[in-house]
Structures are given as C-alpha cells and as structure tokens.
Amino acid sequence: KYRDEARPRAGILRGREFIMKDSYSFDLADDGLKTAYHAHREAYQKMFARMAIRYVIVSAVSGAMGGSASEEFLAESDIGEDTFVRCPQSGYAANVEAVITAVPESRPVAGLPEAQVHDTGDTPTIATLVEWANGAGLPQFEGRTVTGADTLKNVLLKIRQPGGDWELLAIGVPGDREVDDKRLGAALDTADYVLLDDADFAEYPFLKKGYIGPKGLLANGVRYLVDPRVVDGTSWITGADEPGRHVVGLVAGRDFAPDGTIEAAEVRDGDPSPDGAGPLVSARGIEIGHIFQLGRKYTDTFAADVLGEDGKPVRLTMGSYGVGVSRLVAV
C-alpha cells in the first residue's frame, strides 16, 4: 500500500509505503459475520502469540471505515502513537476515542441557591477564574477550595457535514479537562471541524471570548453539547456572556438545558472504568491489527445482493480485517 503519510517516523514503523495483510468476509446473515469476525480475531491472537509480542485487544471506534463494532490489537510500547486505557481489576481496555464516560447520578435541584452574576474582572482563563473564586468568599464554597472542576468551560467550533455549510457548535466540559482532539474527531465522525479564530469571534458579537456561557449560546440558537458529567442538578461557575462577568451557581436542568452530550473531554488516569470495576490507567501502544464488523455500509451503497436459499435477493454483510506486516517487523 501507499499513502501520502503526513508524518512518517521510525523507519518502517510508519512509512508512506507499507505491506498489509487485508481480508474481507461476506456473509448472508449477521450470525455469519460474527463467526468470521471471531475466526479472524482468534487467528490474530495465535499469530501474535507465536511472535511473542506483548499486546492488548482494545475496543476502538470504526472511524471512516464505519460499521457497528471494531477492535484494535496494540503492541505495548512506550513509543507507541496510540494511547489506550485499561482497568486492571476487570481487564477492560479501550482506545481513548472509544471510552464511554461513567455518568454520575443526577442531583436534586430543590434547595440550591439561585444563580448570581458577579463582576470577575480580567478572568478569561480557567486559572484566573479559579483564583478569583477562591478570593471572593463565595458562600457555596465555604470550607473548601474552588478548583477547575467547579467551572464549566465552553469551547466553540465550526463544523461542516459533507456537502453542507459551516455552522457553530459549542462544547461544554468541566474546566479541569481539555477537549481531546482524537475523541472529538471520533464523536463528530465524518464532519470537518475547526476551532473558532479571532475573525470568527468578530463575526459573532454575542460570543464574548473567555466569558461564554450556556444561556447566551442557547439564546442565539447555537447547538450546545456537554460532557456527560454535566448532569441535572450539577452547579457551575461559567461565563455570563459579558466581558469581565461570570455566573456562579448555574444549575444544569434548572437554569439551562443542553442539546445533548458528547464524548470529547480527555480521559485521565484514575477516571472510573465504564464497567464500574475500578479506576482506569493509561498506556501506549502500536497498532498492529484492526478488525471491523462493517455490516451493510458498503453492500448497501453498491446494492450487493445475492440469491438466498429461497431464491430471493439477500443483502450481504461484511467484515474487514488487517494486519500491518512491515510494521510488525519494526515492533
């Protein structure tokens, strides 16, 4: 294979020309696909065991290939480009793009103080906002230190679906976390996206950079997706849509209702495993194999039908399976 690799590195570990073992399965029914998928999975396990490679199988996102499920085989390596997480207690393992956030329980809204807008001065960053909050004597935080996790950071993007026009999208994440570009790309799937620049902010005067809040976004029809941790009843310090002003005690489900959730925030060591078994720890690996249950994505596109046993057309279902042969030499 040849591709115009943007970042060749480490000899044949990532080159523009490489050898792969590719195979595809075609079946009449989903049960047949699952059989073919697991046959490939077991064959890969035997191959890598014979090569004495220390590897892990992780849940992955299908990305541009599409399909209902996929798994990657990652050789454990400190120089690997792929970050994955696992739970030592249960054996759960996944690429960071595929991790599903453990969603906390919703909290009761009754009795929570009303949201209040404060003059916060020059506080366009989470660090400066936290510093202000800890010196402001806020009654909600009496007896404890305000941290970035108490703030709601709103990140603005432009996104464009294939064949569509650019539109605004806002993503709300706890202020102690960054948006992970890999997770964001996986969540937005086929859409193009870019962060807003100064020219974009000038085009939308209601967006006050560093002071953007949920109310202004929703009032101006901007699609607003939040991290799954922003559940009803959680209270936040966030932008008040005016320079030098923030709102304290803005409660999700009472003061604002987002349009949905998105898995875009970074995954960190110590985060709870999605299976509830314990904390996650991160490691690095080199992708040496990838298997996909493609389903009917491509056979629907090309109307790839065969005659079934009853003489009627049946739409085929597909799997795709690959091993990086030349990369394995480097591994």
Side-chain angles (χ1 to χ4, degrees), residues 106-154:
S106 296
R107 304 176 190 176
V109 171
L112 291 176
E114 289 300 308
Q116 290 187 321
V117 175
H118 292 258
D119 291 318
T120 57
D122 184 21
T123 52
T125 66
I126 296 299
T128 53
L129 178 59
V130 167
E131 184 181 1
W132 169 85
N134 279 311
L138 301 172
Q140 299 98 313
F141 298 96
E142 190 173 350
R144 78 171 181 89
T145 301
V146 180
T147 70
D150 297 307
T151 68
L152 184 61
K153 174 167 56 181
N154 297 301

Side-chain angles (χ1 to χ4, degrees), residues 221-277:
V222 178
R223 189 169 173 231
Y224 185 46
L225 303 178
V226 296
D227 183 82
R229 299 171 188 84
V230 185
V231 296
D232 286 356
T234 50
S235 179
W236 303 93
I237 304 174
T238 190
D241 305 301
E242 298 176 67
R245 306 194 86 192
H246 285 84
V247 58
V248 176
L250 196 74
V251 176
R254 183 191 73 182
D255 302 319
F256 70 98
D259 296 309
T261 60
I262 185 170
E263 293 282 2
E266 63 183 341
V267 179
R268 297 195 305 223
D269 282 29
D271 283 348
S273 174
D275 61 11

Side-chain angles (χ1 to χ4, degrees), residues 83-86 96 177 266-272 279-283:
T83 300
F84 67 95
V85 292
R86 58 183 161 198
V96 290
R177 292 181 187 258
E266 63 183 341
V267 179
R268 297 195 305 223
D269 282 29
D271 283 348
L280 295 173
V281 294
S282 61

Side-chain angles (χ1 to χ4, degrees), residues 57-60 74 83-86 92-100:
I57 303 173
V58 302
S59 299
L74 296 178
T83 300
F84 67 95
V85 292
R86 58 183 161 198
Y92 166 88
N95 255 349
V96 290
E97 299 98 299
V99 174
I100 304 298

Side-chain angles (χ1 to χ4, degrees), residues 9-208:
R9 62 184 285 268
I12 56 174
L13 190 63
R14 177 175 286 279
R16 287 201 168 105
E17 184 180 324
F18 52 96
I19 297 168
M20 283 194 70
K21 190 287 300 177
D22 276 348
S23 57
Y24 297 86
S25 62
F26 297 83
D27 286 281
L28 298 177
D30 292 341
D31 286 348
L33 167 58
K34 289 176 181 175
T35 299
Y37 182 90
H38 286 289
H40 278 82
R41 194 179 194 270
E42 289 173 14
Y44 286 13
Q45 288 176 284
K46 289 176 182 176
M47 281 184 346
F48 299 144
R50 288 177 64 190
M51 296 179 203
I53 292 171
R54 194 177 68 201
Y55 70 94
V56 62
I57 303 173
V58 302
S59 299
V61 293
S62 298
M65 285 287 284
S68 60
S70 77
E71 292 175 296
E72 283 184 12
F73 293 75
L74 296 178
E76 297 182 49
S77 169
D78 291 339
I79 65 162
E81 292 180 315
D82 289 290
T83 300
F84 67 95
V85 292
R86 58 183 161 198
C87 174
Q89 285 80 1
S90 67
Y92 166 88
N95 255 349
V96 290
E97 299 98 299
V99 174
I100 304 298
T101 301
V103 180
E105 293 284 334
S106 296
R107 304 176 190 176
V109 171
L112 291 176
E114 289 300 308
Q116 290 187 321
V117 175
H118 292 258
D119 291 318
T120 57
D122 184 21
T123 52
T125 66
I126 296 299
T128 53
L129 178 59
V130 167
E131 184 181 1
W132 169 85
N134 279 311
L138 301 172
Q140 299 98 313
F141 298 96
E142 190 173 350
R144 78 171 181 89
T145 301
V146 180
T147 70
D150 297 307
T151 68
L152 184 61
K153 174 167 56 181
N154 297 301
V155 178
L156 268 293
L157 314 168
K158 288 190 301 186
I159 71 165
R160 179 176 60 188
Q161 297 294 343
D165 296 323
W166 289 104
E167 58 182 345
L168 291 179
L169 172 67
I171 296 175
V173 297
D176 63 332
R177 292 181 187 258
E178 300 298 330
V179 170
D180 183 310
D181 191 58
K182 281 189 173 183
R183 282 172 60 75
L184 176 62
L188 296 178
D189 197 16
T190 57
D192 295 322
Y193 63 92
V194 292
L195 289 170
L196 259 58
D197 58 22
D198 289 340
D200 295 314
F201 277 102
E203 189 179 339
Y204 300 100
F206 66 88
L207 295 175
K208 307 301 181 186

Side-chain angles (χ1 to χ4, degrees), residues 1 10-21 51 286-288 323-331:
K1 288 190 174 182
I12 56 174
L13 190 63
R14 177 175 286 279
R16 287 201 168 105
E17 184 180 324
F18 52 96
I19 297 168
M20 283 194 70
K21 190 287 300 177
M51 296 179 203
I286 301 167
E287 184 183 359
I288 52 177
V323 169
V325 176
S326 48
R327 174 177 288 182
L328 272 170
V329 178
V331 168

